[in-house]
Structure formats: structure tokens, C-alpha cells
Amino acid sequence: MTLLITVIAAAITTAVWYTRKNDDLKLGFLCFMFWGASLMWMVDAIFEFAELKEAYFSPALEDMINDTFLGVAVIALAMVIWVVRLLILDPKGRVKEAILRQ
Amino acid sequence: MACFVVPAVEAIVVTAVAKAEEKKEMKLFETKGNVTQEKSSIPLSRKLKWLTKLLWGGVILLLFEHIWHGEVVPWFPFLTAMGNPIDAAEMFHEMATVGVLMAVLCTAVWIIMCKVADVIVKRPEVAKAKVKA
């Protein structure tokens, strides 16, 4: 479930990055984060599937809820990292402008 | 258990290589002009930065997952599996299999990405030439 949520997030972020004319939101970084994690969890999933076989596709409800919660938490963490990086890089100069205005 | 350690080590190495390559390219640019443009339109340092972002991104999120599952703790030795030899042996086995494959897959995807990027960068020139013809 965590893998699924991360892959969906990666695909959506990449599509948004593609449609934007300029990279002022630095979405490329978020794309790389999600795809990197997706690839790594995919390897994890392959090994788990090799061990569990068909049982891999029918997880216990409690595990599924926990994995979903983890997936959402991972997305939240990635977005926080991305926002912090965006504010530090300040490509549009908004942060600097706001500080100087005060 | 600690599979993310292998891509983390690769990420550290690639980050250092990317920094060195960037410095080398800057020096080359200052002395000889844009030489990289002739060989390949995308500088190697930029390509290496893609790999560092891919690896670091994955490592950070996987580290979070391991903290979530209680496999990584904020006190020494940081990995709960290091507590007893049986768990430690299992952890090293996981690092040698899952961890190595994670690093290999990320690198393989990055190589494909670089090849595709090179093709895409060269493509508009062909399209323009066709339009002109």
C-alpha cells in the first residue's frame, strides 16, 4: 500500500511538473524523491512477493491500514522537505521580499 | 531492517563525485569555454545530480519508514537489529540482497533516464531540420 501510494504521488507530481512551463516550484526534486522511494520499495515488494507468494496480495486489514497511514505520512514528509527546500532556495524571491518588507 | 544503508552509501559517494565533476567542468568552462556542449548537450555533473536526488529522496523516505517500524532508533547502535547476533546476521543478509538491488535498480533507471534525456535533447534539432526542409 505504501508503494502504491508513493507511485501514485510520483506519477501525479511528474505530470504536474511536465505541464508547468517553468520550474519555479522546484517540482523536479519532489519527483525524484517519490520515484527514488518507489523504486526502492518496489525491490522490497519483489522480495516480499518471492517470500509470501499469493498471500502478498491479500494482506490483513490491520496491516493495510497501517501501510496506508504510513504511505500518507511519507507523502506528508516528502512535501514538508520539498516546501522547506523551496523556501530556502527562494527561486521567486518571495521570502526575501517578505523579510525586507517587515 | 537496514536495506536503505546501501543506497545511502552510494548517495554519499555519488554526491562527492558530482561535486568534484562540477568543479572540473567549471574549471574547463573558464579555460576552454563550453566544451561539454560539443560532446554531450547535458553535462555529466547535472546527470549525477539527478542520481543523487533519486538516491537521497529514496533513502530519506525509507529511513522514515524504518523509524516508523521501530527498526531505526535515535540511540546507539541506531539499528535495533544490532542488538543480537541472529538479527544482525539477518540484517546484513538483507543489506547484501535487497539493499544492493535497490542501489542497482536506481542506478539502472538513472542510466536509462540519461540515455532518454540525451535523445530528447537532440530531437528538436532533427524536428527543426525537417521543418526547414
Side-chain angles (χ1 to χ4, degrees):
Chain A
M1 206 62 182
T2 313
L3 169 67
L4 207 63
I5 290 169
T6 317
V7 168
I8 292 167
I12 291 170
T13 316
T14 309
V16 174
W17 168 82
Y18 183 78
T19 52
R20 288 186 64 86
K21 280 190 175 173
N22 50 19
D23 195 25
D24 53 353
L25 285 179
K26 301 280 172 197
L27 279 168
F29 177 74
L30 196 58
C31 293
F32 277 118
M33 267 186 103
F34 284 141
W35 282 121
S38 298
L39 288 170
M40 290 180 194
W41 272 317
M42 200 178 82
V43 174
D44 228 10
I46 291 165
F47 275 87
E48 214 175 314
F49 174 73
E51 196 183 309
L52 301 171
K53 307 282 180 212
E54 302 91 55
Y56 176 78
F57 297 105
S58 48
L61 185 68
E62 201 183 323
D63 290 343
M64 235 167 87
I65 292 168
N66 189 273
D67 275 357
T68 308
F69 194 26
L70 173 63
V72 175
V74 160
I75 305 295
L77 176 73
M79 292 193 86
V80 166
I81 294 169
W82 165 67
V83 165
V84 170
R85 185 178 180 264
L86 183 71
L87 294 176
I88 292 167
L89 291 176
D90 194 21
K92 280 192 157 185
R94 291 268 169 86
V95 178
K96 193 180 174 183
E97 199 181 294
I99 294 165
L100 291 174
R101 209 185 297 141
Q102 287 168 358
Chain B
M1 281 184 164
C3 48
F4 69 95
V5 173
V6 181
V9 171
E10 190 193 349
I12 293 165
V13 173
V14 175
T15 305
V17 173
K19 292 267 181 204
E21 180 62 27
E22 197 178 15
K23 273 186 186 174
K24 207 172 94 181
E25 281 170 9
M26 284 298 283
K27 271 187 184 174
L28 208 68
F29 183 79
E30 282 165 10
T31 52
K32 289 182 180 176
N34 202 353
V35 187
T36 50
Q37 195 78 36
E38 291 162 23
K39 282 184 189 172
S40 158
S41 35
I42 308 168
L44 180 63
S45 63
R46 192 185 294 175
K47 287 177 179 173
L48 286 168
K49 276 182 185 171
W50 295 344
L51 182 60
T52 57
K53 284 175 189 170
L54 198 69
L55 290 166
W56 279 122
V59 166
I60 291 166
L61 297 185
L62 256 80
L63 173 69
F64 177 72
E65 187 229 323
H66 283 73
I67 293 168
W68 182 282
H69 288 135
E71 292 165 348
V72 174
V73 285
W75 53 85
F76 191 79
F78 307 110
L79 301 162
T80 45
M82 291 297 279
N84 70 74
I86 300 162
D87 283 350
E90 200 185 324
M91 184 192 77
F92 287 124
H93 179 259
E94 199 190 89
M95 278 166 72
T97 52
V98 183
V100 169
L101 200 66
M102 277 176 179
V104 168
L105 182 68
C106 283
T107 313
V109 167
W110 170 72
I111 291 167
I112 295 165
M113 206 180 106
C114 290
K115 296 276 177 203
V116 172
D118 282 335
V119 171
I120 289 170
V121 166
K122 281 169 192 166
R123 201 164 46 186
E125 289 167 23
V126 177
K128 274 179 194 171
K130 273 184 185 173
V131 171
K132 278 179 187 174

